[in-house]
Amino acid sequence: MQGKVYGYIRVSSTDQNEDRQMIAMGERAVPPRNIFVDKRSGKDFERPQYKRMVKRLRPGDLVYVKSIDRLGRNYTEILEQWRILTKEKGVDVVVLDMPLLDTRRERNLLGSFISDLVLQVLSFVAESERTNIHQRQAEGIAAAKARGVNFGRPRRSLPANFHTLHRAWREGKMTLHQAAQDCGLPDTTFYNAVIRAEKNEKGK
């Protein structure tokens, strides 16, 4: 008896569109009721729809995914999910972007060896690319900061009476808390503003 056909789609945030992956599933005649879609951020990898699909899988079923990184965030997770699907659940997996990753091909030792080898290489490449992207982002942020770009929220403008209250506090005429209150600022914010103002004065 022929198994059922499933498709799994994951997009990294709710803002992304899954149309490209959905079209690919339609081209393989995956029944709409058997297509499971997760929209999650990269940090949240709970994937409730993926878990629902895995629970429904039976030996002999077939699962389509568009690309290998849909199965996991990193090398270890991808290999683990591949093992669960192909070994524990006994289903076939087809990665549409990589025809060599089709467990229906050459059901023998050589075919399994080729699939496993390609899987390991591709999952390693996928993780390396993500690492490189994060590194490039970090380097870009560091370079922008070096140019004086501020990525934080803009600082609140100081009240008109700040400098008067700053001097009064430094001269011991009032406490830090009183000066901050009269400025309408939290104590820490007032103190940090004082330090910045004094540094700016020294730098002139």
Side-chain angles (χ1 to χ4, degrees):
M1 177 178 167
Q2 190 173 7
K4 294 181 179 179
V5 179
Y6 294 89
Y8 177 66
I9 293 172
R10 179 174 64 81
V11 289
S12 60
S13 76
T14 54
D15 295 326
Q16 285 187 327
N17 195 309
E18 69 270 19
D19 285 353
R20 187 173 68 91
Q21 296 180 64
M22 192 68 78
I23 290 169
M25 298 301 167
E27 290 173 348
R28 270 71 183 180
V30 181
R33 66 180 180 277
N34 288 353
I35 298 176
F36 293 79
V37 182
D38 277 316
K39 296 182 179 181
R40 292 286 189 239
S41 70
K43 294 179 181 178
D44 179 3
F45 213 71
E46 287 300 311
R47 301 191 300 169
Q49 293 303 309
Y50 178 77
K51 290 180 178 178
R52 280 188 60 209
M53 181 188 73
V54 172
K55 284 183 180 179
R56 287 177 56 175
L57 295 175
R58 297 293 180 268
D61 288 345
L62 171 63
V63 177
Y64 285 105
V65 293
K66 187 72 171 68
S67 57
I68 193 63
D69 60 358
R70 301 303 87 188
L71 290 180
R73 288 173 300 184
N74 54 48
Y75 177 76
T76 303
E77 282 186 350
I78 292 171
L79 294 182
E80 175 62 11
Q81 292 308 314
W82 186 270
R83 184 192 65 77
I84 290 172
L85 294 174
T86 60
K87 303 297 192 296
E88 289 188 10
K89 305 299 291 189
V91 303
D92 281 313
V93 181
V94 176
V95 180
L96 298 175
D97 285 352
M98 178 50 61
L100 280 174
L101 285 178
D102 181 345
T103 58
R104 300 171 302 176
R105 295 164 46 95
E106 300 184 37
R107 294 177 177 277
N108 54 37
L109 187 60
L110 179 59
S112 297
F113 173 76
I114 292 173
S115 289
D116 289 346
L117 182 61
V118 172
L119 171 69
Q120 293 197 41
V121 171
L122 286 180
S123 54
F124 175 76
V125 169
E127 181 177 4
S128 296
E129 180 57 24
R130 279 191 293 271
T131 300
N132 289 337
I133 289 172
H134 293 154
Q135 183 176 345
R136 287 194 294 270
Q137 288 174 340
E139 289 171 351
I141 291 170
K145 285 183 176 178
R147 295 195 304 269
V149 177
N150 184 12
F151 287 91
R153 289 182 297 179
R155 288 187 182 131
R156 290 169 54 184
S157 57
L158 295 173
N161 62 349
F162 170 77
H163 295 290
T164 301
L165 294 167
H166 169 199
R167 285 195 300 273
W169 171 60
R170 282 302 191 192
E171 291 169 3
K173 296 177 181 177
M174 61 196 319
T175 66
L176 172 71
H177 180 66
Q178 289 171 333
Q181 266 194 329
D182 289 350
C183 266
L185 298 172
D187 292 2
T188 303
T189 303
F190 176 80
Y191 179 76
N192 288 338
V194 166
I195 297 302
R196 284 196 302 272
E198 292 176 351
K199 281 184 178 178
N200 289 338
E201 284 295 322
K202 288 179 182 178
K204 289 181 180 179

